[in-house]
Amino acid sequence: MTVATRKLGANGPEVSAIGLGAMGMSDLYGPADDAESIATLHAAIDAGLNLIDTADFYGSGANEMLIARALKERRRDEVVLSVKFGSRRTPDGGFQPVPYDVSPAAVKDRLAYSLRRLNTDYIDIYRPARLNPDIPVEETVGALAEMQQAGFIRHIGLSEVGADTIRRAAAVAPVSDVQIEYSLLSRGPEASVIPALRELGIGLTAYGVLSRGLLSGHWSAARNLGADDFRAHSPRFQGENLEANLRLVDALGRVAERLGATTGQVAIAWVAAQGQDIVPLVGARRRERLAESLGAAGIDLDADALAEIEAAVPAGSAAGERYAAPLMATLDSERRPTHP
């Protein structure tokens, strides 16, 4: 199946209607297999899925180097690389409990390392992973604009920011898209973020469309998670929360069965159906999961199907926050806007 394309906002690139998030190939979801990951990247590119999302801190640079290995056997201009920066790691694989480093100096320094690890002379979309409340977003975006003018990046993106911040950033330089968690279980962006993006002509790349695997239809309450798996610490995967969320997934599965699709395909298709300016990112680490996810591109959800899905998983029905409290506190996207 060849994936259709969508344009990321008024100023962004033309990308596949589904993108690939590569984080799990190197980090946070337990062990992964490099050979299978590279084969999955190749299969995605060959199917026309050209948007690949990574971060310099995924695997402390290992994810970027993995993508570079995969691109040795494909054309660089076939791929739109989206890269986040700002988080700091520790030698034991942990994350430093310090504010994100998104200063103008960090923009240039981290970009230099990403270009080298990815074996490329430009990055298509470069974005801070989170904001630092002590660093005005205007300063970060100003430095990104300098790098854009110098030809090292082609588009400026943002991640997990609220409506006020989006407007402030867009006043400094054109923004292609905002990356944010958006799924049937995470409907927060609908309140103010998506309206602001549409007002300004900015696209949305949605990560977590399967809610870290919960909405895949493959999750079981009996599944054991290792200490190096992010989900072992996620409120939505704990105790009664998990049981409640899996009941929602079962309801979605019954809708999917009537539609002749898998639960995960319907969850992905629902995100894609929320607007042509929204591109879901899938976190497939294996070719079989990628093939299933790509099947979502062939699902056309009509009004009746969308109503059925909404009834199965109503807005606000998820049990538990998407992150533990300390991480939720870092999200500018979760703060109330000060004006419409």
Side-chain angles (χ1 to χ4, degrees):
M1 176 181 292
T2 300
V3 180
T5 61
R6 293 182 172 184
K7 186 171 171 57
L8 276 183
N11 301 293
E14 193 87 10
V15 299
S16 49
I18 295 175
L20 180 64
M23 179 185 77
M25 295 178 177
S26 303
D27 214 355
L28 297 174
Y29 283 169
D33 180 88
D34 280 2
E36 180 61 24
S37 295
I38 289 173
T40 302
L41 285 160
H42 286 164
I45 295 167
D46 294 345
L49 191 158
N50 71 337
L51 177 61
I52 298 175
D53 180 75
T54 184
D56 63 7
F57 50 87
Y58 291 168
S60 300
N63 198 241
E64 290 178 317
M65 291 187 285
L66 179 76
I67 291 169
R69 286 167 56 193
L71 291 182
K72 285 181 179 179
E73 298 178 46
R74 296 296 185 275
R75 286 171 37 200
R76 169 66 180 90
D77 61 4
E78 291 181 315
V79 173
V80 175
L81 289 175
S82 167
V83 180
K84 296 182 290 295
F85 72 96
S87 184
R88 292 177 172 179
R89 303 297 296 264
T90 56
D92 63 359
F95 286 83
Q96 294 189 39
V98 296
Y100 287 79
D101 190 355
V102 294
S103 65
V107 168
K108 299 170 185 178
D109 177 69
R110 303 297 284 271
L111 176 59
Y113 283 95
S114 286
L115 290 169
R116 188 66 174 266
R117 285 191 291 258
L118 286 163
N119 192 31
T120 184
D121 55 7
Y122 71 93
I123 288 171
D124 298 276
I125 310 171
Y126 198 54
R127 69 181 85 237
R130 300 285 189 272
L131 289 191
N132 181 327
D134 296 325
I135 301 172
V137 69
E138 291 86 352
E139 293 184 10
T140 304
V141 173
L144 289 168
E146 286 182 35
M147 295 298 93
Q148 184 180 38
Q149 291 161 9
F152 295 118
I153 66 176
R154 295 195 169 171
H155 302 281
I156 296 169
L158 297 169
S159 179
E160 286 292 353
V161 289
D164 290 348
T165 301
I166 293 167
R167 292 189 178 94
R168 288 169 53 199
V172 176
V175 175
S176 67
D177 67 302
V178 169
Q179 189 176 114
I180 196 166
E181 184 168 353
Y182 184 43
S183 73
L184 280 164
L185 295 181
S186 297
R187 304 280 291 272
E190 294 173 350
S192 60
V193 169
I194 291 177
L197 295 178
R198 288 177 173 161
E199 169 195 328
L200 297 167
I202 298 171
L204 185 153
T205 42
Y207 75 88
V209 294
L210 294 180
S211 197
R212 313 291 185 174
L214 266 178
L215 291 167
S216 67
H218 303 297
W219 201 268
S220 165
R223 182 168 174 176
N224 292 319
L225 295 171
D228 59 347
D229 192 315
F230 157 82
R231 293 165 294 195
H233 313 285
S234 170
R236 288 185 179 172
F237 288 82
Q238 309 301 315
E240 293 181 358
N241 285 349
L242 178 59
E243 292 176 8
N245 290 327
L246 287 177
R247 286 194 292 271
L248 295 173
V249 176
D250 286 343
L252 181 64
R254 290 190 289 273
V255 177
E257 187 175 2
R258 288 195 290 275
L259 295 173
T262 69
T263 306
Q265 286 171 341
V266 171
I268 297 165
W270 180 88
V271 174
Q274 302 312 301
Q276 288 292 315
D277 52 352
I278 296 175
V279 175
L281 299 171
V282 299
R285 298 192 291 172
R286 303 196 305 275
R287 283 167 287 181
E288 62 182 284
R289 289 286 183 257
L290 173 69
E292 179 184 348
S293 295
L294 289 178
I299 298 174
D300 184 18
L301 298 174
D302 61 19
D304 289 342
L306 289 170
E308 276 193 87
I309 294 167
E310 184 73 29
V313 190
S317 60
E321 297 284 2
R322 55 194 179 106
Y323 291 108
L327 286 177
M328 288 295 291
T330 70
L331 298 178
D332 182 73
S333 55
E334 295 290 334
R335 298 185 177 91
R336 292 180 180 273
T338 57
H339 59 275

